Amino acid sequence: MIRTLNRQVRLARRPRGAPVPDDFRIVDGPVPVPNDGELLLRNLYLSLDPYMRGRMNDSHGSYASPYALPFALDAPPGGGTVARVMRSRLDSFAEGDLVVTPDAGWQTFAISDGTGLRRLPNDMAQPSQALGVLGMTGFTAWWGLTAIGRPQAGETLVVSAAAGAVGSVVGQIGRLLGCRVIGIAGGTDKCRQVVEELGFDACLDYRVPDLAGRLREAAPDGIDIYFENVGGAVREAVWPLLNNDARVPVCGLVSGYNGVTEEAGGIHALLMSLIVKRIRLQGFMNADHLDSFPDFERQMRGWLDAGQLRALETIVDGLDQAATAFVGLFEGHNTGKLVVRLSE
Amino acid sequence: MIRTLNRQVRLARRPRGAPVPDDFRIVDGPVPVPNDGELLLRNLYLSLDPYMRGRMNDSHGSYASPYALPFALDAPPGGGTVARVMRSRLDSFAEGDLVVTPDAGWQTFAISDGTGLRRLPNDMAQPSQALGVLGMTGFTAWWGLTAIGRPQAGETLVVSAAAGAVGSVVGQIGRLLGCRVIGIAGGTDKCRQVVEELGFDACLDYRVPDLAGRLREAAPDGIDIYFENVGGAVREAVWPLLNNDARVPVCGLVSGYNGVTEEAGGIHALLMSLIVKRIRLQGFMNADHLDSFPDFERQMRGWLDAGQLRALETIVDGLDQAATAFVGLFEGHNTGKLVVRLSE
């Protein structure tokens, strides 16, 4: 029993700032007919995610990346769905199969050649979970927290957008792995839900005055992991509380997606580039790694003795010259290592 | 044959902006006498490093860290030296031993209880190298590049302050490990030295107009590793050329150490905090890690089935509501995963 119309929500124009309903248009058309090697899918559930906002722009400015080409105008913006196979002209799927699609969204029917489809149990009780906690949303939370955040029992984890799709999962995983979990969310109702229903240890409303001070009280041992979904003022409140060796998985920066952010433009662009280019930015102090000094010495001496490495030095004679030489460091006077010889 | 005077260069006042010679004062005093359990050291070589500038301030502002407490006024500012043991009242060292000290600098003699001393071969041909290529400087270059940069043969490595103590070593190691290495340094003489003496593939003078354009020509395959010593305009030129999965070991930000930087204050403070707190900031895209999806599913289904994890969802009914629901994402209307139900 296939309806005779395929309803689509199309991107009518590119949003300026926050999206509004008039940026979209509903269009009814004929239900498409699958060719050989194709499936006709009926969408049951559509996933809506903040990242879609970025793809509604016509470019991504300085952080453009092929992963996220702009959505076409006057077409459905894509996005994941749970769908039922209505007709199959493809051997690997049968009518009645339940699948997750990566990009068939914003319409009631879609044609697929099977690319990127993930099969679900046909009798799955709550198929919408395949878009959420058991889908790409949950996977984002799980991978970012475990692979980048590397939580250890007893550590303090702060999650922004804690009541959101990703944040609500991040915090629960953190709790299951033994972290003390503090959420940051918008409003007292969300905060109550995050604590009472999801079991976070605490949740702060980011709209309160002195968020930084409240957060300091809630995280007396500092913050070991900050799962970044938001950016902006929330990041600013978290930052001074980060402990040494903190990990910050940068998942999203929703505060800036509409191009309206309280964050300095440079920082938003910098962090956004980390996401779209999967960049790892890591500060370090040599003193933390001295257990590797013998390995270093062995390799460097080998190269030095073999003449494969040169020791570039600027040697200044006499302690009396130390101050002048130091001043020169910032004027580009030396090349290589600057050393003062006091005596042979 | 110990001289009767210990000459010290003391920090006379805290520099404002770039240091000047008058920030220091030379003071002669008696050679100190070791007590039981102490050594008298005579410094042969003093290491001078840009990081010392930060410790000459009376605080580090928002990126304060106990690792780098301010130097005391009217005292030698510390810093590493190569020294000879002149008198030993400590069993583990003998007169004549050659050692590296972590903090005995800016004076001709020093007393040590042995803490942090590293022994050198007494007949070491070029003891100053124990402060440079074979010392903490070289170790910084080696650890930051290999452990964070993780260079692969054929990758493009860009090194700022390429003629400096750390940069000159980073680039050579990169070359030995098979990278294409591009240095950035101040002036044509330094650039020539970096290429001709150290074997970098190329070196750009950061003072040229259109550094970004020159760098694009020099790195036609983009940049896989940027070893950050400088910050500021150099970082800005490098950034758009970073490839996906780029690594950026943040070693130093000398462009901002004097408190005068062309970089937006926020970014300098952000990157500085990465160094002093050894923070890892890493963006990611879930689509890169789908080989872990089965592990994710197994763990999450387990928690979900055991009732240890809750799937927070906001379900909106009807495709016609999709646009309004999407708009609401940015107004905080939903909690958990936002899903549109099109059909059961």
Side-chain angles (χ1 to χ4, degrees), chain B residues 2 31-35 38-42 84-90 93-96 110-112:
Chain B
I2 295 179
V31 174
V33 177
N35 291 320
E38 292 182 337
L39 307 169
L40 175 65
L41 301 174
R42 178 178 192 149
R84 186 76 73 184
V85 176
M86 304 304 286
R87 282 194 202 149
S88 175
R89 300 185 64 184
L90 188 60
F93 291 90
E95 285 177 27
I111 296 292
S112 168

Side-chain angles (χ1 to χ4, degrees), chain B residues 288-303:
Chain B
D288 296 340
H289 307 288
L290 292 178
D291 53 343
S292 299
F293 201 92
D295 291 336
F296 150 73
E297 237 179 345
R298 190 162 35 247
Q299 188 164 34
M300 293 292 271
R301 273 192 188 283
W303 282 329

Side-chain angles (χ1 to χ4, degrees), chain B residues 227-247:
Chain B
F227 197 97
E228 172 67 292
N229 284 312
V230 164
V234 172
R235 190 198 61 74
E236 287 172 14
V238 165
W239 219 254
L241 299 174
L242 289 177
N243 288 332
N244 282 0
D245 300 307
R247 287 82 67 200

